[in-house]
Amino acid sequence: MTTRSRSAPALLRVTGTTRVVALLGDPVGHSRSPQMHNAAFASLNLDYCYVPFSVRPSALRLAIRGLVALGFAGANVTIPHKERVIPYLDELSPEARLIGAVNTIHQREGRLVGHNTDARGFLRAFQEDTNVSVRGGQFLVLGAGGAARAVMVALALGGARAVTIANRSVPKARHLARRLRRLFSSLDWSVVTSTSGLPPSCFFRGVIQATPVGMKVNDPSPLPLDWLNRSLAVYDLVYPGPTALLRAAEEVGARHAGGLGMLVHQGALAFSIWTGRRAPIDVMRRALLG
Ligand code: NAP
C-alpha cells in the first residue's frame, strides 16, 4: 500500500457539474494561474476548475466560440490574445474599453463579457506593497504595451497628476499619449525619447516597469542606479524577480515591489467576476509562492 506524503497536492475534484474556466494564451506552460485559481476554488469548496489551453492566434475565434459551446464559466486571456480577442466578444467593461485589452472573460447566458482586471489589480498592489498613494503624484512608466496601458489607466483612475512614458518604440509611446490625453485630459501626459533624457528622478513619486525586461536572469536594469533616489517607489511588473531594477532600488533605499501582488489582485478580481464570491487572497498568494 502506498501512502501520500503530507506535501502531495490534493486531487482536483471534477464532477458532472464542474464549471470550467480556461486560460487562453500562447504559450501558457509557464503560467502559475492554474495553481492560484484551483487553490482558491478548492479552499471555498467551489465546483470550478481552471485549465490552461495553448491557442494559436489563427485558432482564437474558434476557441472563443468553444467557450460558449461548452458552457465554460469564463476565461483568462494572456499574451498574445489580449487585444485581438475583442472583436469576438459581445460586450466590454468600461475598463477593458479604456485600456483596449481584455484579460478576463465572463460568460453570462451565452453572452461573453470582456473585462480587464490588470488596472485595478495593479493599483491595489502598488498602494499595498509600496504604501505610496497614486493621488496627485507624477509617475514614470516604462513600456507602452498592454500591461503598460493598464497601469496608465490605473494611474489616471487613481488620481495621478502626471505620467511620463518611456518606450523602446517612441512613435508607439506618442500614439498612446495622444489617446490617453483625449481620454484623461486633466492629466499631464508626456513622452521621453530615451531613458538617458529623463528629467531628474526627484520629479517623480514612482516608477513602474511594464516591459518584459528582467524576465531573463541576466537582463540589465532599464534605469541606471545613479538616476534612482530613495524617495521613489519602484514597482516592477515582472514576476518572480527580483529584477536588476528592483535590486538597484533596494541599493538606493527606495521602496520597491515585484509583480506578485498585481498577479494576485488581478486574479482575485477575475475570481470574483466568475464566481460572485470574495476571493481568498491569502490562499492565492500562498499557492503562487508554493
Ligand atoms: P506587450 O504588450 O508585448 O508589451 C511589451 C512592451 O515592452 C512594449 O512596450 C515593448 O516595446 C517593450 N519591450 C519589449 N521588449 C523590450 C526590450 N527588450 N527592451 C525594451 N522594451 C521592451 O507585453 P505586456 O502584456 O505589456 O507585458 C509586459 C510585461 O508585464 C511582461 O513581462 C508581463 O509578464 C508583465 N505583466 C505582469 C503582470 C502581473 O500581474 N504581474 C500582468 C501583466 C503583465 P515596443 O513597443 O518597442 O515593442
Side-chain angles (χ1 to χ4, degrees):
M1 195 176 83
T2 55
T3 50
R4 246 192 25 210
S5 81
R6 272 172 177 273
S7 59
L11 282 177
L12 189 65
R13 203 167 48 90
V14 175
T15 71
T17 55
T18 300
R19 310 288 320 273
V20 182
V21 177
L23 169 65
L24 308 177
D26 183 22
V28 290
H30 65 287
S31 174
R32 299 187 190 209
S33 293
Q35 68 206 56
M36 174 171 76
H37 283 296
N38 286 321
F41 294 143
S43 83
L44 296 186
N45 218 6
L46 294 175
D47 190 12
Y48 282 70
C49 83
Y50 186 102
V51 188
F53 295 93
S54 180
V55 176
R56 280 196 300 276
S58 59
L60 183 62
R61 192 176 66 91
L62 274 177
I64 297 296
R65 284 170 58 179
L67 295 179
V68 179
L70 298 172
F72 280 28
N76 270 148
V77 183
T78 188
I79 291 175
H81 304 315
K82 285 184 176 183
E83 285 129 40
R84 63 187 74 177
V85 74
I86 289 176
Y88 308 132
L89 304 178
D90 299 303
E91 209 179 303
L92 289 183
S93 73
E95 278 172 28
R97 201 179 294 279
L98 283 172
I99 297 163
V102 162
N103 78 335
T104 300
I105 299 172
H106 183 210
Q107 177 170 196
R108 283 195 320 225
E109 292 159 6
R111 284 180 65 76
L112 296 176
V113 185
H115 298 260
N116 191 309
T117 64
D118 280 338
R120 267 190 298 149
F122 160 74
L123 202 56
R124 285 187 189 179
F126 177 81
Q127 301 196 141
E128 192 172 286
D129 294 348
T130 66
N131 211 16
V132 167
S133 164
V134 157
R135 188 159 296 281
Q138 173 159 358
F139 293 86
L140 171 65
V141 179
L142 306 180
R149 287 205 307 273
V151 165
M152 291 177 214
V153 166
L155 292 171
L157 296 175
R161 180 177 56 77
V163 174
T164 300
I165 309 169
N167 190 48
R168 182 174 60 179
S169 152
V170 177
K172 188 165 153 189
R174 290 208 170 109
H175 177 75
L176 179 58
R178 274 197 297 277
R179 181 169 178 269
L180 290 166
R181 251 177 234 126
R182 280 198 300 275
L183 291 170
F184 301 101
S185 55
S186 62
L187 266 81
D188 180 4
W189 299 96
S190 57
V191 172
V192 288
T193 51
S194 87
T195 47
S196 57
L198 278 170
S201 60
C202 60
F203 280 86
F204 298 101
R205 189 179 292 175
V207 174
I208 296 104
Q209 199 301 112
T211 79
V213 175
M215 291 190 79
K216 296 194 208 99
V217 185
N218 293 325
D219 280 348
S221 168
L223 292 170
L225 183 80
D226 61 8
W227 182 84
L228 298 169
N229 80 72
R230 67 188 302 273
S231 60
L232 280 173
V234 180
Y235 195 94
D236 196 328
L237 265 61
V238 167
Y239 177 77
T243 60
L245 174 63
L246 291 186
R247 289 197 299 273
E250 175 151 334
E251 205 171 321
V252 300
R255 291 165 197 235
H256 58 282
L260 172 73
M262 177 172 169
L263 198 57
V264 171
H265 283 294
Q266 63 76 29
L269 291 160
F271 179 95
S272 296
I273 288 171
W274 300 317
T275 64
R277 300 283 297 271
R278 184 191 291 266
I281 287 184
D282 290 342
V283 170
M284 296 170 86
R285 194 183 300 273
R286 273 201 307 277
L288 284 174
L289 290 170

